[in-house]
Amino acid sequence: SSGINAEYGFLEAEYPKGFSGAALSEHQRTELLPALAVLHHTKSTRSGANGHFQYVISGEGEERTEVGVAVKDGEFSVSLGESDPVTVTPTGALFEPLQKFILGDGRRVTLQQLEFNGVTHSIRYRCCKKELTVLTPLQQHFMDVMPEKPIIDTSNLILSPMPGSLSVISVSEGDEVLEGTEVAVVVAMKMNNSLKAPKSGKIKKIYAKVGDVVDGDQKIMEFH
């Protein structure tokens, strides 16, 4: 046996967030980033106004890159850092899933736009999924000085999914419960929302009582 798990659905199981591949090579950076900069500029501004625009492109495992986009009479010229500018010509419609570009040196670049939330592009490039964030220098400055939100482990907690009234608590402190067991019910908008144990374990502490009005994400109980 080769030791490779050949089960159906292997890729989905091993790479739930998609296969991102290795970090971009320099050749790939000089393909992808100019095309992405033009795609971002046209989608975020929806304007063909002439001018020079600055962006910062970053992504997990990728070097942060300052990018300049010059627009003149509908034509785009892009520079990465201190490098010489390269012309970038879009060849498709703006909102098509496949975005195609021709660079000044003749290279053709195809990007598949998976998602775009205004700053982060989830794209497929050369068969690999990439998530790259494009910000203005001012936006990037604010991101750099913004304190990181602490990650709180809630895996041992049952939280209220929304504001409502706690109508049922079906366990007591010290009870052993199995994963999927209903432990409480929150009524919101005249609907019962069943709260189930996310895993098997023992109820360590119950923080609320029947009849309490609870907020969204409020602690209801805790597991060992």
Side-chain angles (χ1 to χ4, degrees), residues 71 82 119 221:
V71 185
E82 301 298 322
V119 294
M221 61 186 69

Side-chain angles (χ1 to χ4, degrees):
S1 172
S2 64
I4 296 176
N5 181 353
E7 287 181 4
Y8 191 75
F10 164 75
L11 288 177
E12 290 83 353
E14 293 295 311
Y15 303 101
K17 296 183 179 180
F19 182 67
S20 60
L24 296 169
S25 67
E26 185 60 24
H27 179 80
Q28 292 167 344
R29 286 182 70 256
T30 59
E31 274 190 352
L32 171 57
L33 299 192
L36 180 63
V38 170
L39 175 62
H40 178 83
H41 179 77
T42 54
K43 282 202 166 188
S44 59
T45 65
R46 300 190 184 185
S47 168
N50 292 345
H52 192 274
F53 307 87
Q54 292 295 128
Y55 297 104
V56 180
I57 300 179
S58 61
E60 185 176 354
E62 303 296 343
E63 177 184 347
R64 181 185 292 184
T65 304
E66 295 181 358
V67 180
V69 178
V71 185
K72 185 175 181 181
D73 300 330
E75 297 184 351
F76 298 92
S77 179
V78 179
S79 56
L80 305 181
E82 301 298 322
S83 65
D84 293 333
V86 59
T87 58
V88 180
T89 305
T91 61
L94 177 60
F95 293 100
E96 290 181 352
L98 287 181
Q99 298 288 322
K100 298 182 179 182
F101 306 85
I102 300 176
L103 305 188
D105 57 10
R107 285 183 287 173
R108 293 177 178 270
V109 184
T110 300
L111 307 179
Q112 181 185 4
Q113 181 91 67
L114 303 176
E115 290 182 47
F116 174 52
N117 64 7
V119 294
T120 299
H121 296 261
S122 178
I123 59 172
R124 200 172 300 281
Y125 163 73
R126 290 177 175 254
C127 300
C128 291
K129 183 179 178 182
K130 293 287 183 184
E131 291 199 357
L132 296 169
T133 298
V134 186
L135 301 172
T136 66
L138 182 60
Q139 289 171 327
Q140 186 64 63
H141 169 72
F142 285 134
M143 287 293 293
D144 289 341
V145 299
M146 183 180 298
E148 289 189 18
K149 186 177 180 179
I151 299 175
I152 301 173
D153 181 11
T154 60
S155 59
N156 289 330
L157 298 174
I158 294 286
L159 305 176
S160 175
M162 61 189 71
S165 174
L166 187 59
S167 64
V168 175
I169 295 179
S170 51
V171 293
S172 301
E173 291 180 1
D175 284 358
E176 295 276 356
V177 296
L178 297 176
E179 180 180 351
T181 302
E182 182 178 276
V183 295
V185 174
V186 172
V187 177
M189 300 177 66
K190 299 183 180 180
M191 295 182 62
N192 291 335
N193 297 275
S194 176
L195 309 186
K196 297 181 180 181
K199 60 184 178 180
S200 299
K202 182 183 287 188
I203 303 297
K204 178 181 179 181
K205 187 172 181 61
I206 297 176
Y207 293 96
K209 64 183 184 298
V210 171
D212 282 357
V213 175
V214 294
D215 294 325
D217 291 332
Q218 181 174 326
K219 284 193 296 185
I220 305 298
M221 61 186 69
E222 182 177 356
F223 283 78
H224 276 298

